[in-house]
Amino acid sequence: MKSSTKRVIGNVSVGTFLAGVVAVLLVSHFDPNFLRNDPELTAEANAGTPIVQGPIVPKELPTAKASTAAEIEDARQRALELGRSAATWDKNCVAWNPPEGGGVQQQWANRVGASWLNSAGARCPDALTWPYYFIDGFESTSAGELKVTLEETAAADPHLLQGEPHTIHLLGDEILDATKGQFTDLTSIELSIRGDDVRWNVAVDDRA
C-alpha cells in the first residue's frame, strides 16, 4: 500500500474519532444526564462488589480477672474458641480464685498451694505444663493434710495412671518435696480426680 494511501486512511480515522468526540460533547451539553451514572444500576453493581476488609486484629486469650460464674464461663468459652483445651483454657489465670472462706485449714491449704505454684514460677496450674494443669484446687480439713483435687478431664488421660508408681502419685511427691521445707506441719498429700472415689496418698514419713 502506498504511503499516500496510508495517510488518507489515517486522516479519515482521526477525523471519524474527532467527529465522535464532538457528537458526545454536543449530546452531553443538551442532555446533562447523558454521562451520569444511573443510581439503580450503580447500586446493583455495588451489591456484587466485594468489600475490602481492614486489617484483621488477632483475638487474644482473656486477661481480665473473672470473679462471677458468668464471667468465668465467658472467659472459658473465649479461650476454647481460640483453640485452648478444656484442661488448659485458663492460661492467664483469670479464673484461679482460691477459696477465701473455709476456716484456718483452708487458708493453710491456700498458702501451701500458692507456695508450690510460686516454686514453679506460675500463678495457677493452667499456666504450667502436663500434668500440672489438671490441678483444680487445694483443700484441707485436717491439720497437716493437704488435699489436691484434679479436674474431671484428668480421668480421660490414660498417662496419669501409667507406670509404677503412677504419674499422679509422682505429682504428689513433687508437691510434697517443694513445700515440706517451708511448711513443717505438712504431713501428707491426698490426690483425687473430681467425681472419682479413688485416692492416692503421699506421706512425709514414707519419704524420710
Side-chain angles (χ1 to χ4, degrees), residues 173 176 187-189 201-208:
D173 286 339
L176 185 63
T187 59
S188 65
I189 293 180
N201 291 282
V202 179
V204 171
D205 291 343
D206 294 338
R207 302 174 61 78

Side-chain angles (χ1 to χ4, degrees), residues 64-75 89 93-97 100:
K65 194 67 177 177
S67 301
T68 67
E71 290 174 343
I72 292 174
E73 179 58 22
D74 178 67
W89 74 265
C93 306
V94 300
W96 180 252
N97 298 307
E100 295 182 357

